[in-house]
Every structure is written in structure tokens, then in C-alpha cells.
Amino acid sequence: MTAKRIFKDFGLMWAMLIGALLTPYLYRFAPLLPYSLFIMLALSYTRFKPSDLHIEPLHYALFVAQWVVALTIYFVLAPLNATLAQGLALITLTPTATSAAVITMMLGGSIAFVTSFLIPCNILIALIAPLLISAINPEMGGTYLENVLAILSQVSALLILPLILIWGLRYLLPKVHDTLSKYVQLTFYVWVVNVAIISANTVHTFMTDETLTLQLGLLYAGASAVLAMMLYYIGQKLGAYYGGQRVNGRQSLGQKNTILAIWIALTFLDPRVAIIPAFYVIWQNVLNSLELAIVSKERREELEHAAVQVEEEEELAPKSFTDSSEKFPVGKKTL
């Protein structure tokens, strides 16, 4: 396996390692993440048309599963550890990450499917979250409308503006749109850089949080790892049930907008709750990295198998011609 192949197959893993090692330097670039995510989404949105967006039965199933899991976790764990219950429920209810569209594309899934799930989920969480948060934290400031608009403002610009830009180019400047579509593969490398910065920012949060003990850190890390595997598994099973959409279901339910979750925790809940989605971002990128490595390996094996078949066909073709020539030599009469 070449160095280039190792880097690409496990790029997210290397990015997390580099981010952790260079934390004192890379975490300072965290404010640039929205801009790089904007570029990633804009490039990936060139892969589908507005008419490709539609709600499917799997979308409803994923939404129901999201709420069932979140409420179950909260009511089971709240009597034992309120902070852990809030953190895990918050992650589960958090909408799909905007970057999930890019990862889904790399895994061979549908960008349109994920985007069709992203938009209503972000709107619904903005409408419902203030009600749930006020029940958990009655001292939450602001009116219902103010809190709804605050949450929408955190997600609308990054989610909607790239769509408006790319679809505007599709119909007004199609040549520019087509030129941008040729650079879709760059989204992987942009995301690798993003993961390094996110990893550095996460490590910086742990190092500077005085309330996080080793025991709590292990508890939150372990619980978020179990939740990540559970959500990815449930999403994959639902996707398989609804017509072989394993990748779509897995990424839509499992890959979360942890930046939004951390912001909600810091703004409306206890700052300690924000630590849990910070751990979750590590595990979801570990799972994404493993997925990309597996898919990359499968694609290489398919290409190698196809190449072997072509070689075998080329070898057989002249051999059969030679055999027929020997059987009926040219220039000789047969009885």
C-alpha cells in the first residue's frame, strides 16, 4: 500500500492525529470553519438539481427514530446523571451535519437525500428545541420567538446560502456551474483540513475545562462512543429496510451537527453539557474514516477484478482465432 493510498484511505484519522498534536496552533483557526464548510457544500451541491429534492418514507422513519432514541435516553439517564442525559439527548436530536452531504457522496450515497433531510430537520429543531429546553431549564432567557430565530440564524446561512448560490449559477451562469462541478473531489481535502481544526479545537476544550475530571471524561467519551455506534447502526438498518439505502440512512442519522449542539448547550443549557457533543465529533469522524477506507478498498478491488477480466478476454480472443486458422488452413483444400 503506497503512502498516498494510506493517506487517502485514512485521511480523517491522520487529520485528527495532526489536529491533536498541533492543538496550540490549529485551534485558533476554528472561526474559519464556517467558510470552509460553505465551500464544501457549494461544490457538492453542483451534483444535484432542485427537482431531486423530495421527502421519502426513509426520511420519516429516521425522524421518528431520532426522537424515540432521544426521549428514551433522556428519561432513562436523567435520574442518574442529568448532564449526561441532556448531552446525549441533545446530540440525538441535533440535525444532520451539513458536511454529511459531502461524506455521503464520497461513500456512494445520495447528496439530494441527505439535503432533503437536512432542511426540514433544521427547521423543526429550531421550532421544537426552545420548548424542550424551557422544560429542562426554566431559567432560559428570551422569548420563544427570539430563541427560534437565534437557532435558525446558526444554521440557515450555512445551509441555505450555498444552495441559493449554486442553483442560481445553474440557471443563470451554467458554464460557471459546470466548471465548479469539476472540482467536487477537492471537498475531501477541504474536509481533511476541517477535521484537523475541529480535532484541535476539541482537545483545546478538554485542556481548558476545569470542571472535567478524568472520571467524567472517560464516562462522557464512552457514552458518546456508544451513542455514535448506535445511531449509525440504526440508520443503516432503517436504510436497508427502505430499499437498500444503507449509506443514506447511516449518515443522515449518525453524522451530527456537533457545532450546533455545542452552541445550544453553551447558550441555553449547562456549559458542561457541551463537552459531550465535543467527544461525539471525535467518534463520528473515526467512523467516517473507517467507512471511507472500506469503500476505497472495495472500489480498488472492483477495478482490479475488472482489469483481470479484460486481460482474460483479450487473451482468449486471439487464441480462438488461431485455433480456427489451424483447423482450416488458408490455401488448402478440404475434402
Side-chain angles (χ1 to χ4, degrees):
M1 185 178 287
T2 63
K4 182 179 179 181
R5 183 177 296 175
I6 293 174
F7 171 78
K8 190 157 188 180
D9 286 358
F10 299 96
L12 299 186
M13 293 281 200
W14 289 114
M16 286 189 288
L17 178 60
I18 292 171
L21 293 175
L22 301 180
T23 293
Y25 310 100
L26 291 182
Y27 88 92
R28 302 176 188 277
F29 292 95
L32 299 179
L33 286 173
Y35 303 99
S36 59
L37 284 171
F38 186 97
I39 294 172
M40 287 175 56
L41 290 174
L43 290 174
S44 63
Y45 285 164
T46 61
R47 286 295 184 94
F48 66 92
K49 306 182 295 293
S51 58
D52 293 332
L53 296 181
H54 56 274
I55 301 299
E56 301 180 18
L58 178 56
H59 288 127
Y60 295 110
L62 292 171
F63 185 75
V64 171
Q66 186 172 310
W67 281 88
V68 170
V69 172
L71 294 177
T72 301
I73 288 174
Y74 180 77
F75 286 112
V76 169
L77 294 180
L80 304 174
N81 189 317
T83 300
L84 182 62
Q86 291 176 21
L88 296 180
L90 175 61
I91 293 171
T92 308
L93 290 178
T94 299
T96 307
T98 49
S99 59
V102 178
I103 301 299
T104 302
M105 175 190 67
M106 295 177 184
L107 295 172
S110 169
I111 304 175
F113 178 93
V114 176
T115 307
S116 298
F117 189 62
L118 267 172
I119 296 174
C121 272
N122 278 279
I123 295 173
L124 287 171
I125 196 65
L127 295 174
I128 300 173
L131 298 175
L132 296 177
I133 294 171
S134 63
I136 297 172
N137 182 17
E139 298 178 357
M140 180 183 68
T143 65
Y144 171 76
L145 181 59
E146 288 173 345
N147 292 327
V148 168
L149 294 177
I151 295 174
L152 282 176
S153 67
Q154 290 292 314
V155 296
S156 59
L158 190 58
L159 180 63
I160 302 300
L161 289 182
L163 278 175
I164 295 174
L165 172 64
I166 293 302
W167 288 351
L169 291 176
R170 175 182 286 274
Y171 296 109
L172 299 177
L173 298 170
K175 290 185 178 179
V176 176
H177 175 276
D178 294 342
T179 300
L180 289 176
S181 67
K182 298 176 182 178
Y183 296 96
V184 172
Q185 298 301 324
L186 292 178
T187 55
F188 172 78
Y189 300 100
V190 176
W191 182 236
V192 167
V193 175
N194 284 352
V195 169
I197 296 173
I198 292 170
S199 178
N201 196 49
T202 303
V203 172
H204 176 72
T205 300
F206 300 154
M207 294 172 63
T208 56
D209 192 325
E210 298 178 354
T211 64
L212 185 63
T213 64
L214 177 60
Q215 184 178 4
L216 280 177
L218 292 175
L219 175 63
Y220 294 161
S224 60
V226 171
L227 179 64
M229 290 185 286
M230 182 171 68
L231 291 178
Y232 274 72
Y233 177 79
I234 294 173
Q236 177 170 292
K237 287 297 182 181
L238 288 174
Y241 180 79
Y242 286 92
Q245 300 188 73
R246 290 180 174 84
V247 173
N248 294 340
R250 186 171 64 230
Q251 300 307 126
S252 295
L253 190 62
Q255 193 171 342
K256 295 296 185 178
N257 187 347
T258 52
I259 295 175
L260 176 63
I262 292 171
W263 177 81
I264 290 176
L266 293 174
T267 306
F268 301 110
L269 298 171
D270 190 327
R272 291 175 298 176
V273 175
I275 298 171
I276 299 170
F279 272 115
Y280 189 91
V281 72
I282 295 175
W283 299 120
Q284 77 175 11
N285 281 310
V286 168
L287 292 174
N288 289 341
S289 180
L290 293 174
E291 288 174 328
L292 290 170
I294 292 171
V295 168
S296 179
K297 181 181 178 182
E298 290 175 348
R299 288 174 180 169
R300 283 199 306 271
E301 290 176 349
E302 289 176 0
L303 290 174
E304 291 171 359
H305 180 67
V308 170
Q309 284 186 322
V310 170
E311 290 178 0
E312 290 177 350
E313 291 174 359
E314 290 177 349
E315 290 176 359
L316 289 173
K319 183 178 180 181
S320 59
F321 177 80
T322 304
D323 290 347
S324 62
S325 300
E326 292 175 353
K327 187 175 182 181
F328 301 104
V330 178
K332 293 184 178 182
K333 294 182 179 181
T334 58
L335 297 176

